[in-house]
Amino acid sequence: MCASWSIPEDDRHGKIVVSLLVRDEIRVAQGGAEVVIARSQLSELADKLYFLDEAFRSDARDVVEALCE
């Protein structure tokens, strides 16, 4: 593992730890769950997370339509 960042827990969910791994992978862990994302998948994942974040801030219908394209 090269580096890691923590996102603090909130009222309902535990801390999230994002780690950069040496094999060009990113690990996202929370509690007992862990997802490893390949470097080749990272841009598409980041795009989806951006749209989901926007859904919580604006008209969700427009965001859902964008995600389904």
Side-chain angles (χ1 to χ4, degrees), residues 13 17-20 24 33-35 39 43 49 56 60-61:
H13 301 94
V17 178
V18 180
S19 303
L20 175 61
D24 288 339
E34 176 180 294
V35 176
R39 182 174 137 188
S43 290
L49 290 173
F56 288 112
R61 192 173 106 202

Side-chain angles (χ1 to χ4, degrees), residues 6 10 15-16 29-30 37 39 43 52 67-68:
S6 295
D10 66 10
K15 173 177 77 169
I16 297 171
Q30 183 180 40
I37 300 121
R39 182 174 137 188
S43 290
L52 289 171
L67 285 173
C68 291

Side-chain angles (χ1 to χ4, degrees), residues 21 23-29 34-38 41 45:
L21 305 176
R23 298 178 305 271
D24 288 339
E25 296 173 330
I26 305 294
R27 178 178 60 215
V28 180
E34 176 180 294
V35 176
V36 176
I37 300 121
Q41 299 171 306
L45 176 63

